[in-house]
Amino acid sequence: MQQSSFEDAFARSIETARAARREYAMQKTIGERFVVPRSQKKGIHTILYRPLTNTVPGKLPVLFNMHGGAWVGGDAVFMESFCQMIANEIPAFVVNVNYTKADEEPFPYATEEVADTVKYFIAHADQYGIDPEKMAVGGHSAGAHLAAGAAMMLKEDGIKLACQMLVYPCTDITADPDKPDDLMSVITRLFFPKGGNEHRYISPLRAKDEELSGLSPALFVLCGPDELKPMGIAYAKRLIDRAVPVKIKEYPEALHGFLEVNRSDYPAGDARQNPEQEAYCKDCEKYLVRELQAFFAAV
């Protein structure tokens, strides 16, 4: 099959992202870079954040955050100010997971990294002064996809999370035969030439009913003209049908990525960076802080 112009552009974007990763790895951060050790596996690169105030009593809840970028682009450094804001406002300990990109390791490698990172901090909770009963996974777009898959992995390992924060999530990485040039079709051809993308860790929307039962509560943020919105709504409905607590916030006029691109650490020049989208971003930040506080308090 001849590659489409979109597929060619996506392949070029992977090459550009690879070159940029070395620069991102050298960038100074406001958080603490930390590599989570794993036995017989590569360590997981993260950036850690604590509340800037030193007067927070007791053990801190934890948010594990994953950035977007179609599984191949972006970097944790683009979400530094978001993570520090969450750490300050909740207050919480935030682990910004710089997961391995799909062009380096096949799915569900990055999802396993998220789950292993949660397990590491549960095992070292006393060392970090964090509460292992108050942990949440969360992400944006591709990062939300990883969060959803990791929540399923962790549930199957007997780990209950306070919630999973799914901001305009992708929940189904399977190709639509009627749309050979859309992103999921390209992803399927590039990363799943032998199939396997219907697995529940990779396409949570396709999980069996019994695999969805008992999942951690889910907090959804959806935006208007977004091709991922239908699968976000469909996944929320499936969770509700399995008695999983779900909250949904929709921004009908917000554009996909609005929460990330309208922060100071995101590269300038994106068309979504404008006063209207920034206002949605600020409102959504406040919403997420309130809801995360509520989920942590309910544990």
Side-chain angles (χ1 to χ4, degrees):
M1 178 184 293
Q2 186 175 2
Q3 281 190 312
S4 67
S5 58
F6 175 73
E7 190 164 350
D8 288 336
F10 189 78
R12 290 195 298 272
S13 73
I14 293 176
E15 293 302 320
T16 301
R18 285 173 178 164
R21 286 171 200 161
R22 293 185 292 272
E23 296 181 16
Y24 299 147
M26 300 299 293
Q27 186 169 315
K28 185 177 180 180
T29 61
I30 60 175
E32 173 192 353
R33 289 192 184 271
F34 175 69
V35 179
V36 174
R38 292 192 293 176
S39 176
Q40 299 181 336
K41 292 182 181 180
K42 292 187 298 184
I44 305 160
H45 290 265
T46 68
I47 310 175
L48 311 180
Y49 311 83
R50 288 184 175 276
L52 294 180
T53 177
N54 294 321
T55 60
V56 179
K59 295 182 178 180
L60 292 169
V62 185
L63 172 66
F64 297 86
N65 182 78
M66 283 70 70
H67 64 87
W71 302 279
V72 296
D75 191 273
V77 296
F78 290 175
M79 298 211 71
E80 282 225 278
S81 61
F82 174 84
C83 291
Q84 189 62 64
M85 180 275 297
I86 291 290
N88 293 342
E89 296 296 326
I90 286 183
F93 183 75
V94 179
V95 182
N96 195 5
V97 184
N98 211 9
Y99 54 89
T100 301
K101 305 305 182 281
D103 58 294
E104 297 181 2
E105 294 287 354
F107 293 95
Y109 187 90
T111 312
E112 293 169 351
E113 287 185 311
V114 177
D116 285 349
T117 300
V118 173
K119 293 175 185 177
Y120 175 85
F121 282 96
I122 289 175
H124 296 81
D126 289 341
Q127 174 184 343
Y128 287 92
I130 55 181
D131 190 338
E133 301 297 321
K134 296 183 178 183
M135 293 191 168
V137 293
H140 314 254
S141 192
H145 163 261
L146 300 181
M152 201 170 295
M153 282 185 180
L154 292 165
K155 183 208 77 168
E156 293 171 6
D157 286 336
I159 298 172
K160 183 75 172 180
L161 299 167
C163 78
Q164 46 183 316
M165 182 189 79
L166 308 179
V167 179
Y168 26 83
C170 174
T171 59
D172 187 359
I173 305 183
T174 56
D176 183 340
D178 295 327
K179 299 178 180 179
D181 294 332
D182 75 353
L183 177 60
M184 297 311 158
S185 294
V186 171
I187 290 289
T188 295
R189 290 195 293 272
L190 289 177
F191 299 128
F192 297 98
K194 298 180 180 179
N197 50 333
E198 294 188 1
H199 192 280
R200 63 190 181 279
Y201 295 159
I202 299 168
S203 293
L205 182 58
R206 294 179 175 266
K208 298 176 182 178
D209 286 348
E210 59 268 27
E211 293 166 342
L212 297 176
S213 296
L215 276 171
S216 302
L219 173 62
F220 287 82
V221 171
L222 306 176
C223 52
D226 182 7
E227 64 183 72
L228 298 184
K229 185 168 73 170
M231 67 175 71
I233 293 172
Y235 192 53
K237 288 180 176 178
R238 289 209 63 201
L239 294 182
I240 292 169
D241 288 343
R242 304 311 302 168
V244 175
V246 168
K247 289 190 175 184
I248 303 173
K249 176 74 169 179
E250 182 180 355
Y251 290 87
E253 303 301 324
L255 301 176
H256 184 89
F258 76 98
L259 191 62
E260 298 105 297
V261 303
N262 285 285
R263 298 199 62 84
S264 60
D265 34 18
Y266 198 87
D270 193 294
R272 295 166 292 178
Q273 294 169 336
N274 59 64
E276 179 187 32
Q277 296 297 309
E278 183 179 10
Y280 298 141
C281 171
K282 297 301 182 185
D283 185 83
C284 187
E285 289 172 356
K286 293 176 182 177
Y287 173 76
L288 291 175
V289 167
R290 290 195 304 268
E291 294 301 329
L292 287 172
Q293 286 173 330
F295 278 116
F296 288 138
V299 176

Short mmCIF file of all heavy atoms in Angstrom, two decimals, residues 207-239:
data_model
loop_
_atom_site.label_atom_id
_atom_site.label_comp_id
_atom_site.label_asym_id
_atom_site.label_seq_id
_atom_site.Cartn_x
_atom_site.Cartn_y
_atom_site.Cartn_z
N ALA A 207 -12.04 -3.58 26.07
CA ALA A 207 -11.94 -4.55 27.16
C ALA A 207 -13.30 -5.22 27.40
O ALA A 207 -14.35 -4.65 27.12
CB ALA A 207 -11.46 -3.86 28.44
N LYS A 208 -13.27 -6.42 27.94
CA LYS A 208 -14.50 -7.12 28.30
C LYS A 208 -15.13 -6.48 29.53
O LYS A 208 -14.44 -5.80 30.30
CB LYS A 208 -14.19 -8.59 28.59
CG LYS A 208 -13.61 -9.34 27.40
CD LYS A 208 -13.24 -10.76 27.79
CE LYS A 208 -12.62 -11.51 26.61
NZ LYS A 208 -12.21 -12.88 26.99
N ASP A 209 -16.42 -6.69 29.71
CA ASP A 209 -17.13 -6.09 30.85
C ASP A 209 -16.45 -6.43 32.16
O ASP A 209 -16.25 -5.55 33.02
CB ASP A 209 -18.58 -6.56 30.88
CG ASP A 209 -19.44 -5.91 29.82
OD1 ASP A 209 -18.98 -4.92 29.20
OD2 ASP A 209 -20.57 -6.37 29.61
N GLU A 210 -16.09 -7.69 32.34
CA GLU A 210 -15.49 -8.10 33.61
C GLU A 210 -14.11 -7.49 33.82
O GLU A 210 -13.65 -7.36 34.96
CB GLU A 210 -15.41 -9.63 33.70
CG GLU A 210 -14.60 -10.30 32.60
CD GLU A 210 -15.44 -10.72 31.40
OE1 GLU A 210 -16.50 -10.08 31.15
OE2 GLU A 210 -15.03 -11.67 30.69
N GLU A 211 -13.44 -7.09 32.73
CA GLU A 211 -12.14 -6.45 32.86
C GLU A 211 -12.26 -4.99 33.26
O GLU A 211 -11.33 -4.41 33.82
CB GLU A 211 -11.38 -6.59 31.54
CG GLU A 211 -11.00 -8.03 31.22
CD GLU A 211 -10.55 -8.24 29.78
OE1 GLU A 211 -10.84 -7.38 28.92
OE2 GLU A 211 -9.91 -9.28 29.52
N LEU A 212 -13.42 -4.39 32.98
CA LEU A 212 -13.66 -3.01 33.37
C LEU A 212 -14.21 -2.91 34.80
O LEU A 212 -14.02 -1.88 35.46
CB LEU A 212 -14.65 -2.37 32.40
CG LEU A 212 -14.21 -2.24 30.94
CD1 LEU A 212 -15.33 -1.67 30.09
CD2 LEU A 212 -12.96 -1.38 30.83
N SER A 213 -14.88 -3.94 35.25
CA SER A 213 -15.46 -3.92 36.60
C SER A 213 -14.37 -3.75 37.65
O SER A 213 -13.31 -4.38 37.57
CB SER A 213 -16.23 -5.21 36.87
OG SER A 213 -17.34 -5.33 36.00
N GLY A 214 -14.64 -2.90 38.63
CA GLY A 214 -13.68 -2.70 39.72
C GLY A 214 -12.56 -1.74 39.42
O GLY A 214 -11.65 -1.56 40.24
N LEU A 215 -12.60 -1.10 38.24
CA LEU A 215 -11.57 -0.11 37.94
C LEU A 215 -11.69 1.10 38.87
O LEU A 215 -12.76 1.39 39.42
CB LEU A 215 -11.67 0.36 36.49
CG LEU A 215 -10.97 -0.51 35.45
CD1 LEU A 215 -11.34 -0.06 34.04
CD2 LEU A 215 -9.46 -0.48 35.64
N SER A 216 -10.61 1.84 39.01
CA SER A 216 -10.60 3.03 39.84
C SER A 216 -11.51 4.10 39.26
O SER A 216 -11.72 4.14 38.04
CB SER A 216 -9.18 3.58 39.95
OG SER A 216 -8.30 2.60 40.47
N PRO A 217 -12.07 4.98 40.10
CA PRO A 217 -12.92 6.07 39.61
C PRO A 217 -12.22 6.86 38.52
O PRO A 217 -10.99 7.01 38.53
CB PRO A 217 -13.15 6.92 40.86
CG PRO A 217 -12.98 5.97 42.00
CD PRO A 217 -11.92 5.00 41.57
N ALA A 218 -13.02 7.37 37.58
CA ALA A 218 -12.44 8.07 36.42
C ALA A 218 -12.94 9.50 36.34
O ALA A 218 -14.13 9.77 36.52
CB ALA A 218 -12.78 7.32 35.14
N LEU A 219 -12.01 10.40 36.06
CA LEU A 219 -12.30 11.83 35.88
C LEU A 219 -11.96 12.19 34.44
O LEU A 219 -10.79 12.14 34.03
CB LEU A 219 -11.45 12.64 36.86
CG LEU A 219 -11.47 14.16 36.74
CD1 LEU A 219 -12.87 14.71 36.97
CD2 LEU A 219 -10.47 14.78 37.74
N PHE A 220 -12.98 12.51 33.64
CA PHE A 220 -12.80 12.81 32.22
C PHE A 220 -12.87 14.32 31.97
O PHE A 220 -13.73 15.00 32.52
CB PHE A 220 -13.90 12.16 31.38
CG PHE A 220 -13.78 10.67 31.22
CD1 PHE A 220 -14.24 9.82 32.21
CD2 PHE A 220 -13.23 10.12 30.07
CE1 PHE A 220 -14.15 8.44 32.07
CE2 PHE A 220 -13.14 8.75 29.92
CZ PHE A 220 -13.59 7.90 30.92
N VAL A 221 -11.98 14.81 31.10
CA VAL A 221 -12.11 16.14 30.51
C VAL A 221 -12.19 15.94 29.00
O VAL A 221 -11.31 15.30 28.41
CB VAL A 221 -10.92 17.05 30.86
CG1 VAL A 221 -10.98 18.34 30.05
CG2 VAL A 221 -10.91 17.37 32.35
N LEU A 222 -13.25 16.45 28.39
CA LEU A 222 -13.45 16.32 26.95
C LEU A 222 -13.54 17.70 26.33
O LEU A 222 -13.94 18.66 26.99
CB LEU A 222 -14.73 15.53 26.66
CG LEU A 222 -14.84 14.15 27.33
CD1 LEU A 222 -16.20 13.54 27.04
CD2 LEU A 222 -13.72 13.23 26.87
N CYS A 223 -13.17 17.81 25.06
CA CYS A 223 -13.28 19.10 24.39
C CYS A 223 -14.05 18.94 23.09
O CYS A 223 -14.27 17.83 22.59
CB CYS A 223 -11.91 19.74 24.17
SG CYS A 223 -10.69 18.71 23.36
N GLY A 224 -14.47 20.08 22.54
CA GLY A 224 -15.45 20.10 21.47
C GLY A 224 -15.05 19.46 20.17
O GLY A 224 -15.28 18.27 19.95
N PRO A 225 -14.43 20.21 19.25
CA PRO A 225 -14.10 19.65 17.94
C PRO A 225 -12.88 18.74 18.02
O PRO A 225 -11.77 19.10 17.62
CB PRO A 225 -13.82 20.90 17.09
CG PRO A 225 -13.35 21.92 18.08
CD PRO A 225 -14.09 21.63 19.36
N ASP A 226 -13.07 17.55 18.55
CA ASP A 226 -11.96 16.64 18.83
C ASP A 226 -12.35 15.25 18.37
O ASP A 226 -13.35 14.69 18.83
CB ASP A 226 -11.66 16.64 20.33
CG ASP A 226 -10.49 15.75 20.70
OD1 ASP A 226 -9.81 15.23 19.79
OD2 ASP A 226 -10.25 15.56 21.91
N GLU A 227 -11.56 14.66 17.49
CA GLU A 227 -11.89 13.33 16.98
C GLU A 227 -11.79 12.26 18.06
O GLU A 227 -12.32 11.15 17.88
CB GLU A 227 -10.99 12.97 15.80
CG GLU A 227 -9.52 12.84 16.15
CD GLU A 227 -8.66 12.55 14.94
OE1 GLU A 227 -8.47 13.46 14.12
OE2 GLU A 227 -8.21 11.40 14.80
N LEU A 228 -11.15 12.56 19.18
CA LEU A 228 -11.06 11.60 20.27
C LEU A 228 -12.27 11.64 21.21
O LEU A 228 -12.46 10.73 22.01
CB LEU A 228 -9.78 11.83 21.09
CG LEU A 228 -8.45 11.68 20.36
CD1 LEU A 228 -7.29 11.84 21.35
CD2 LEU A 228 -8.35 10.34 19.64
N LYS A 229 -13.07 12.69 21.10
CA LYS A 229 -14.19 12.82 22.04
C LYS A 229 -15.16 11.64 22.01
O LYS A 229 -15.55 11.15 23.07
CB LYS A 229 -14.93 14.13 21.82
CG LYS A 229 -16.05 14.35 22.86
CD LYS A 229 -16.59 15.77 22.84
CE LYS A 229 -17.45 16.04 21.64
NZ LYS A 229 -18.17 17.33 21.74
N PRO A 230 -15.55 11.13 20.84
CA PRO A 230 -16.49 10.01 20.84
C PRO A 230 -15.98 8.79 21.60
O PRO A 230 -16.75 8.14 22.31
CB PRO A 230 -16.68 9.71 19.35
CG PRO A 230 -16.41 11.01 18.67
CD PRO A 230 -15.32 11.64 19.47
N MET A 231 -14.68 8.49 21.48
CA MET A 231 -14.18 7.33 22.21
C MET A 231 -14.04 7.62 23.70
O MET A 231 -14.16 6.71 24.53
CB MET A 231 -12.86 6.83 21.61
CG MET A 231 -11.67 7.74 21.74
SD MET A 231 -10.13 6.95 21.11
CE MET A 231 -10.42 6.94 19.35
N GLY A 232 -13.83 8.89 24.07
CA GLY A 232 -13.84 9.25 25.48
C GLY A 232 -15.22 9.06 26.08
O GLY A 232 -15.39 8.51 27.18
N ILE A 233 -16.25 9.53 25.35
CA ILE A 233 -17.63 9.36 25.81
C ILE A 233 -17.99 7.89 25.88
O ILE A 233 -18.61 7.42 26.86
CB ILE A 233 -18.59 10.11 24.86
CG1 ILE A 233 -18.36 11.62 24.96
CG2 ILE A 233 -20.04 9.76 25.17
CD1 ILE A 233 -19.13 12.42 23.92
N ALA A 234 -17.60 7.12 24.87
CA ALA A 234 -17.92 5.70 24.85
C ALA A 234 -17.27 4.96 26.02
O ALA A 234 -17.89 4.08 26.64
CB ALA A 234 -17.47 5.08 23.52
N TYR A 235 -16.02 5.33 26.34
CA TYR A 235 -15.34 4.67 27.47
C TYR A 235 -15.99 5.06 28.79
O TYR A 235 -16.19 4.20 29.66
CB TYR A 235 -13.86 5.05 27.47
CG TYR A 235 -13.03 4.19 28.40
CD1 TYR A 235 -13.08 2.80 28.32
CD2 TYR A 235 -12.19 4.76 29.35
CE1 TYR A 235 -12.32 2.01 29.17
CE2 TYR A 235 -11.42 3.98 30.19
CZ TYR A 235 -11.49 2.60 30.10
OH TYR A 235 -10.74 1.81 30.95
N ALA A 236 -16.35 6.33 28.93
CA ALA A 236 -17.03 6.76 30.16
C ALA A 236 -18.33 5.98 30.34
O ALA A 236 -18.66 5.53 31.45
CB ALA A 236 -17.31 8.26 30.10
N LYS A 237 -19.09 5.80 29.26
CA LYS A 237 -20.35 5.06 29.35
C LYS A 237 -20.12 3.61 29.75
O LYS A 237 -20.87 3.04 30.56
CB LYS A 237 -21.09 5.13 28.02
CG LYS A 237 -21.69 6.49 27.71
CD LYS A 237 -22.42 6.48 26.37
CE LYS A 237 -23.11 7.81 26.11
NZ LYS A 237 -23.77 7.85 24.78
N ARG A 238 -19.08 3.01 29.19
CA ARG A 238 -18.80 1.62 29.55
C ARG A 238 -18.41 1.49 31.02
O ARG A 238 -18.80 0.52 31.68
CB ARG A 238 -17.69 1.06 28.65
CG ARG A 238 -18.13 0.84 27.21
CD ARG A 238 -17.36 -0.30 26.58
NE ARG A 238 -17.63 -1.56 27.27
CZ ARG A 238 -16.82 -2.62 27.21
NH1 ARG A 238 -15.68 -2.54 26.50
NH2 ARG A 238 -17.11 -3.73 27.83
N LEU A 239 -17.65 2.45 31.53
CA LEU A 239 -17.29 2.41 32.95
C LEU A 239 -18.53 2.60 33.82
O LEU A 239 -18.71 1.89 34.83
CB LEU A 239 -16.26 3.49 33.25
CG LEU A 239 -14.88 3.32 32.60
CD1 LEU A 239 -13.95 4.45 33.03
CD2 LEU A 239 -14.25 1.97 32.95
#
